[in-house]
Amino acid sequence: MTAIKESSTRNFNKQISAISCPVTYVMNKIGGHWKPIILYHLSTGQKRYSELRRAIPEITEKMLIQHLKQLQEDNLVLRTAEPVVPPFVTYSLTPAGARLQPVLDAMALWGLDDMAKGNN
Amino acid sequence: MTAIKESSTRNFNKQISAISCPVTYVMNKIGGHWKPIILYHLSTGQKRYSELRRAIPEITEKMLIQHLKQLQEDNLVLRTAEPVVPPFVTYSLTPAGARLQPVLDAMALWGLDDMAKGNN
DNA sequence: ACAAGTACTTACCCCAAAGTATGTATCATG
DNA sequence: CATGATACATACTTTGGGGTAAGTACTTGT
């Protein structure tokens, strides 16, 4: 699981930043190139693993699962597996994940606005 | 600076993600451990370089300037230098930077809420 | 003469995030 | 009997973000 060197200034700073700064706390949860995109695709309804893969062709399987796992640990997405073969796994937003919607919307709004004017 | 290898899948993905996903676009601008904190300190009014340093003692000078530069390039903060000696430099938010306020607030709100309930 | 304050710059190193590539188990279908 | 689909796992390498430490140019205070 990408074992993190517990004794690194790097990680220590990350921790205290997350505790003292709620914005950084959010950043640690939805940061990274792929998480917002995954969250977006799940915001339109639950999806199977393979559906997500096809919806985001640029992402590698490793990255997809890795981030899905982290999002699960962070209690933002829910994994539901049907014990059948071939496997049938669906991912959906948890309530906490759904509550992120206004945040993502606010960000998207600002982003689009900023891209439009480029510089004010 | 930190010269970026232009031909890396890594950076390429970052670029296209930022173009196609406005949320990622925002993330690239205010991501990193220090940027939100710097932005927060500037949101309460313009500050001198040394004031910022004292306000955020954990940050190193290298990181401070590096991020201030990036924030300038991203048109979020404005640098004003009085041509005197000793140097007198103040940093303040640009209109675009100020417009970020509601976004940061939304994030902070969610963050605090999420920290409070931990898991729903 | 020397320390301290101003606002940086520069060289060097480490590490975690991201990418590449391949493997696994099970079943259905041609 | 081999290919494809499902949902992953895992070993290996690269690279960009971040940290450490030291230096620069100029002036004021002691």
Side-chain angles (χ1 to χ4, degrees):
Chain A
M1 296 217 170
T2 359
I4 307 162
K5 267 280 145 54
E6 58 310 298
S7 62
S8 67
T9 314
R10 184 95 147 251
N11 212 243
F12 178 72
N13 275 345
K14 215 168 175 176
Q15 309 284 20
I16 58 141
S17 295
I19 290 166
S20 55
C21 176
V23 175
T24 302
Y25 173 85
V26 177
M27 222 69 94
N28 287 344
K29 298 214 161 195
I30 64 171
H33 309 318
W34 303 114
K35 282 186 192 157
I37 298 168
I38 295 172
L39 253 11
Y40 166 74
H41 282 282
L42 290 179
S43 73
T44 62
Q46 63 167 29
K47 294 232 160 43
R48 293 187 62 173
Y49 171 78
S50 50
E51 288 183 292
L52 283 172
R53 269 195 48 203
R54 279 189 293 266
I56 317 168
E58 318 84 36
I59 201 174
T60 63
E61 297 197 60
K62 182 197 168 193
M63 285 294 110
L64 221 202
I65 313 186
Q66 190 174 298
H67 286 121
L68 282 171
K69 272 190 183 170
Q70 288 174 20
L71 290 168
Q72 281 176 76
E73 282 167 22
D74 288 340
N75 194 47
L76 297 179
V77 320
L78 182 72
R79 193 189 104 115
T80 322
E82 241 73 40
V84 295
V85 66
F88 191 97
V89 181
T90 51
Y91 291 92
S92 56
L93 292 182
T94 62
R99 253 178 266 130
L100 259 176
Q101 200 70 36
V103 176
L104 296 172
D105 288 345
M107 294 177 77
L109 252 163
W110 186 91
L112 292 170
D113 183 61
D114 194 65
M115 289 173 94
K117 22 187 79 139
N119 32 10
N120 44 320
Chain B
M1 303 221 162
T2 358
I4 307 162
K5 268 278 147 54
E6 58 309 299
S7 62
S8 68
T9 313
R10 186 99 143 244
N11 211 243
F12 178 72
N13 274 345
K14 214 169 176 174
Q15 309 284 20
I16 57 141
S17 295
I19 290 166
S20 56
C21 176
V23 175
T24 302
Y25 173 85
V26 177
M27 221 67 95
N28 287 343
K29 298 213 160 194
I30 64 171
H33 309 316
W34 303 114
K35 281 187 192 158
I37 298 168
I38 295 172
L39 253 11
Y40 166 73
H41 282 281
L42 289 179
S43 73
T44 61
Q46 62 167 28
K47 295 229 159 43
R48 293 187 61 173
Y49 172 77
S50 51
E51 287 182 292
L52 282 172
R53 269 195 50 203
R54 280 189 293 267
I56 318 169
E58 317 86 36
I59 201 174
T60 62
E61 298 196 60
K62 180 198 169 192
M63 285 294 109
L64 221 204
I65 312 186
Q66 189 174 296
H67 285 122
L68 282 171
K69 273 189 184 171
Q70 287 175 20
L71 289 167
Q72 281 175 76
E73 282 169 22
D74 288 341
N75 194 47
L76 297 180
V77 319
L78 183 70
R79 194 189 103 114
T80 323
E82 240 73 39
V84 296
V85 66
F88 191 96
V89 180
T90 50
Y91 291 91
S92 56
L93 292 183
T94 62
R99 253 179 265 130
L100 258 176
Q101 199 71 35
V103 176
L104 296 171
D105 288 344
M107 293 177 77
L109 252 163
W110 186 91
L112 292 169
D113 183 61
D114 194 64
M115 290 172 93
K117 21 186 79 137
N119 33 9
N120 44 317

